[in-house]
Amino acid sequence: MAEDDLLSQMLHAWREDIESVPFPQFTELLIPRQQVRPRCVPGASAARVTKATRRTDA
């Protein structure tokens, strides 16, 4: 029973501590612009898979 009382006291103290700090208020939400990547150009030097290979060890 003493443990329950101690845990309850700790929980109430924690809640009081959390509630004593005001939640931040934002007047304006600033979201940075996202970077735009260049479109993929056909024939670029990127490796391409042209034909799927079948596993032979199955």
Side-chain angles (χ1 to χ4, degrees):
M1 193 68 159
E3 276 187 33
D4 291 339
D5 291 339
L6 178 60
L7 289 175
S8 294
Q9 290 173 2
M10 291 172 65
L11 177 63
H12 290 297
W14 175 76
R15 283 188 175 170
E16 287 174 6
D17 185 43
I18 295 298
E19 291 172 357
S20 69
V21 178
F23 192 79
Q25 299 291 320
F26 300 101
T27 56
E28 184 179 346
L29 183 61
L30 300 175
I31 301 174
R33 265 185 94 79
Q34 295 184 356
Q35 294 180 352
V36 178
R37 292 191 269 172
R39 292 187 67 108
C40 182
V41 179
S45 62
R48 298 181 74 194
V49 176
T50 56
K51 194 172 194 181
T53 57
R54 183 178 290 171
R55 290 180 61 170
T56 58
D57 61 340

